[in-house]
Amino acid sequence: MSSQTEHEQPVQTPEIHPLVQQRIENRESLRSETGLEPYGQAERHLTSLAEAAAMYDQAADEDHKAHGKEDGHTDRRPRVTVAGRIMLSRDNGKLIWLNLRDDTGDLQVAVSKRDCDEAGFKAAKLLDNADIVVVEGPITRTRTGEVTVWASSLRLASKSLTPPPEKWAGLQDIELRYRKRYVDLWANPEALRVFQLRSKIVSGIRRLMDEQGFLEVETPMLQAQAGGAAARPFITHMNALDIDLSMRIAPELYLKRLLVGGMRKVYEINRNFRNEGLDKQHNPEFTAIEAYEAFGNYETVMELSEAIIRRAAAIVSGSDENLKLPFGGLEIDYAKPFERVTYAALFERALGFAMDDTIRARAEAEKRGIRTRSDDGEPMDDVWVVNELFEAVAEKSIDPSVPTWVMDYPSALSPLTRPKADDPSIAERADLFIAGMEVGPHYTELNDPDIQLERFREQLAGIDDDESTFRTLDEDFVEALRVGMPPAGGMGLGIDRLVMLLTNSQTIRDVILFPLLREI
C-alpha cells in the first residue's frame, strides 16, 4: 500500500534560476580549485577605497615604473589591503580588471597572473559581479590615469548567489528599492549617501545639545496611557500583568516629569508611533527630537531649533557659510533668520478677513468645500472651523522657500500650551514650516495643574468612543504638575522630515532605512 494518499501531492523542489545555479557552481569551484573559503574571515587593518585612492604616490609610482625589479631597487609605492563588492569585471586572459565599491566610493583593482598569488588569480577567474573580495597590493596608476590597486593577493570575503540589478544601473523599481534596501544601498551610491548624512546629522544634533547643556534621556516606549499628542496609538497587551499598553505617540509627559524632578534641560531622540496614514510625509513609526528647557519659553526653543537646523545644514553642505540647499525646485537658505508671522496675521493675509469673524469663516469654509461638521453631523466649534480653513488655505500661502515660524495659535488648539498673559485665548505656540512641510511644534509649556486638568477633560470629551479605551486622563501627570513644574519651553522636530529637506529627498521612505510597506 502506498504511503501517499490519493489527495497528497509530491513535494515540489523550487526551481533554481540558471544564473543562480552558475554562481553556486562557481562557489564550489572556488573551494575545490583554489582551496579558498568563499565566506572569508575577519580582516584587520583594512583601508577604505577612498583612503586607498588618496594614498597614491606619483613619485613612487614613476620610480617603480622606471626601475621595476632591478637588483637593490625598493618598491616605495604604498601598499594597502582593501575590501569591496565587485561592481564590474573584465577578463583579458592574463589580466583581470575589477571595479570594487565600499561605503566610501569605487576603486579599480588589477589582478595579473604574473603578480598575484596563484590561488588569488584562480579565484579571480571564478568571481561574479556582487561578490565581496579582499585584495592586497601596491597602489599604482594605469596609462589612462586611473588609480588602481595592483593585486599581489586576492581572497573571497563573501560569495553572492543572487545576480545584481541589471546592467548596474541600480535598482530602478522604487518599491523594490525599499523592500531590498540591502541591495539598494550598494547598488545606488546616492541612497547610501543620504543615510550616511542622516547619521551625521543626528550625531551633530547630539553634539549641539551637549554644548547647550542638555541631558539626553530615555523615556518609556510602552505606556499605560497614550499622551503628549492627539493621535491614534498602536495597542499591545502585556501578558505578565494582563494589561493593555500603547506604543508611545510622544515622550512629552514623561520629559516634563523630569523637569518636575529637577532636571533643567532634557531631550530625547527616539521613535514615536502613530496608527495613522502612510504618505510621502508620514510613516507609522518616525524619529523626532523633543526637548524641554526649564525657565525657557517658546522663543528660546525656537532659537534652539534654528541652531539645530543650521548645524545640520552645515553638515550636509560641508560649509558653515553657504547654507543654501536645494529641495525639489526650491533653493532654501538656512543661514538667514527664519521668518515669523502670527496665526492671525497669516489667516487674514491669506483669506482677506480676520479669524475672529467666525460667521464669515464658516461661510467661506462651506463655499470651499471645507468641513464644518464633525463626523456625527454636529456643527464644529468655531475655532476648529477656523483652523480647517487655516490649514487648507493660509498654510499653503507660506513661501515654501523661506523657513517660516507661525506663532500664537488659538489656545483651544493647544491644550498643553501656556496661554498669553495678556490674552488667554492665544497660546504661546509656534510651528515651523519649510517647503510646505510642518517640521515641528514649539511651546511655552503649561504648568498650572488646574488649567491642565481642565484642558485634558476638554480634549478627552472630543475623543471618539472607539478610542476612549486607550485615551484616558493622565492623573499622575496632573499630580506631577501639582508638585510643581518650573516655567519651560518645549520643542519637537521631526528628524525624518529634516533629513528629507536637507538631502533633497522627496519622500519620507527615502530617509528611513526600512519604511513600512504594504504586503505583496
Side-chain angles (χ1 to χ4, degrees):
M1 181 177 177
S2 171
S3 61
Q4 182 172 308
T5 68
E6 181 180 352
H7 300 290
E8 287 178 337
Q9 297 295 322
V11 175
Q12 298 292 319
T13 303
E15 185 176 345
I16 299 177
H17 191 281
L19 292 178
V20 175
Q21 182 60 46
Q22 180 60 56
R23 286 168 176 263
I24 293 172
E25 292 172 4
N26 285 347
R27 178 183 64 181
E28 300 314 309
S29 296
L30 273 163
R31 283 187 170 122
S32 61
E33 295 180 22
T34 70
L36 296 175
E37 169 54 42
Y39 294 105
Q41 301 292 334
E43 297 285 345
R44 296 183 181 274
H45 310 302
L46 286 176
T47 301
S48 74
L49 298 184
E51 289 173 334
M55 290 169 63
Y56 171 71
D57 185 328
Q58 183 175 350
D61 193 30
E62 290 175 352
D63 177 68
H64 179 78
K65 289 175 180 176
H67 299 284
K69 296 185 177 181
E70 293 178 2
D71 289 342
H73 177 260
T74 301
D75 186 351
R76 296 187 291 107
R77 295 175 299 176
R79 293 184 64 85
V80 293
T81 302
V82 297
R85 192 180 292 271
I86 300 173
M87 303 303 296
L88 184 67
S89 60
R90 305 184 303 280
D91 188 341
N92 294 339
K94 294 184 178 181
L95 182 60
I96 302 166
W97 300 97
L98 305 175
N99 282 16
L100 301 190
R101 175 174 294 170
D102 69 4
D103 60 347
T104 67
D106 293 7
L107 186 64
Q108 181 170 266
V109 167
V111 187
S112 74
K113 187 173 183 179
R114 183 189 66 183
D115 296 309
C116 188
D117 61 74
E118 182 179 358
F121 185 76
K122 285 183 177 178
K125 289 284 188 179
L126 296 168
L127 293 174
D128 294 296
N129 288 344
D131 289 351
I132 302 174
V133 296
V134 177
V135 176
E136 295 181 26
I139 305 169
T140 183
R141 190 160 62 184
T142 64
R143 282 183 299 224
T144 60
E146 187 166 358
V147 175
T148 301
V149 175
W150 202 268
S152 57
S153 71
L154 178 147
R155 51 193 174 272
L156 200 59
S158 184
K159 179 67 187 175
S160 176
L161 301 182
T162 302
E166 186 178 0
K167 296 182 181 178
W168 299 104
L171 285 174
Q172 299 303 308
D173 184 305
I174 297 298
E175 281 286 314
L176 193 59
R177 287 181 56 198
Y178 301 142
R179 293 184 190 280
K180 296 187 179 295
R181 187 70 86 187
Y182 46 86
V183 176
D184 180 40
L185 290 175
W186 62 261
N188 295 309
E190 181 56 28
L192 179 60
R193 174 184 169 274
V194 166
F195 289 107
Q196 289 171 326
L197 283 173
R198 178 186 173 117
S199 291
K200 290 177 182 178
I201 287 169
V202 173
S203 295
I205 291 172
R206 284 195 163 98
R207 286 194 297 273
L208 184 141
M209 298 301 283
D210 289 345
E211 293 164 10
Q212 298 277 349
F214 281 82
L215 184 68
E216 184 172 13
V217 297
E218 293 180 336
T219 60
M221 293 285 190
L222 290 172
Q223 301 181 356
Q225 293 160 307
R232 181 182 292 273
F234 287 93
I235 304 301
T236 187
H237 186 78
M238 182 180 179
N239 293 331
L241 297 179
D242 192 24
I243 57 172
D244 286 337
L245 296 170
S246 68
M247 299 294 289
R248 79 170 184 200
I249 54 178
E252 176 174 351
L253 302 187
Y254 284 94
L255 290 171
K256 287 181 176 177
R257 284 173 168 93
L258 299 180
L259 296 186
V260 174
M263 292 186 178
R264 191 166 56 88
K265 292 182 175 183
V266 294
Y267 80 100
E268 184 170 7
I269 298 177
N270 221 321
R271 291 294 182 93
N272 296 331
F273 305 84
R274 300 186 182 179
N275 195 359
E276 297 177 343
L278 279 168
D279 60 32
K280 288 186 175 182
Q281 296 182 21
H282 296 88
N283 194 66
E285 56 175 322
F286 62 95
T287 303
I289 175 174
E290 202 156 312
Y292 294 86
E293 177 183 12
F295 301 101
N297 62 12
Y298 69 151
E299 292 197 355
T300 65
V301 290
M302 288 161 67
E303 293 167 4
L304 174 65
S305 285
E306 289 198 32
I308 287 172
I309 292 169
R310 289 193 184 97
R311 174 70 62 90
I315 289 169
V316 174
S317 71
S319 167
D320 290 329
E321 287 78 32
N322 180 18
L323 301 185
K324 292 181 180 179
L325 295 172
F327 183 74
L330 305 173
E331 183 180 72
I332 302 172
D333 188 351
Y334 295 99
K336 295 180 180 178
F338 296 177
E339 291 290 322
R340 297 187 177 193
V341 61
T342 65
Y343 183 104
L346 184 61
F347 184 96
E348 187 165 357
R349 188 173 75 192
L351 287 144
F353 60 92
M355 73 176 191
D356 57 6
D357 188 347
T358 56
I359 294 175
R360 187 169 176 184
R362 194 173 292 272
E364 184 71 19
E366 290 174 349
K367 183 177 77 172
R368 291 174 178 266
I370 297 168
R371 69 177 188 146
T372 60
R373 293 181 177 274
S374 60
D375 293 340
D376 59 7
E378 292 296 316
M380 293 166 58
D381 290 343
D382 289 339
V383 68
W384 291 104
V385 173
V386 167
N387 194 59
E388 290 283 334
L389 200 55
F390 179 87
E391 290 181 350
V393 181
E395 281 184 8
K396 291 180 173 56
S397 71
I398 299 170
D399 185 339
S401 67
V402 179
T404 300
W405 293 105
V406 179
M407 303 173 63
D408 300 342
Y409 280 66
S411 289
L413 304 178
S414 309
L416 299 176
T417 311
R418 186 170 187 158
K420 280 187 167 294
D422 58 351
D423 185 357
S425 69
I426 300 299
E428 293 191 349
R429 167 185 164 187
D431 285 4
L432 178 60
F433 291 84
I434 307 176
M437 287 191 287
E438 181 187 352
V439 181
H442 296 65
Y443 307 107
T444 301
E445 300 300 336
L446 182 60
N447 64 341
D448 183 321
D450 296 331
I451 297 176
Q452 182 64 83
L453 180 59
E454 179 184 347
R455 294 281 177 81
F456 273 157
R457 286 172 174 163
E458 290 172 356
Q459 189 180 40
L460 290 171
I463 291 176
D464 296 337
D465 289 341
D466 64 339
E467 293 187 55
S468 61
T469 55
F470 46 81
R471 294 298 298 277
T472 57
L473 178 63
D474 191 337
E475 295 178 355
D476 182 73
F477 177 70
V478 177
E479 178 60 27
L481 292 186
R482 291 192 179 111
V483 171
M485 186 182 88
M491 57 78 76
L493 281 179
I495 297 294
D496 308 304
R497 290 187 184 181
L498 179 60
V499 175
M500 282 176 64
L501 286 165
L502 298 179
T503 62
N504 197 12
S505 301
Q506 301 304 304
T507 169
I508 197 169
R509 293 184 295 180
D510 285 337
V511 299
I512 295 177
L513 279 167
F514 301 102
L516 187 68
L517 301 169
R518 300 182 191 278
E519 290 188 5
I520 55 174

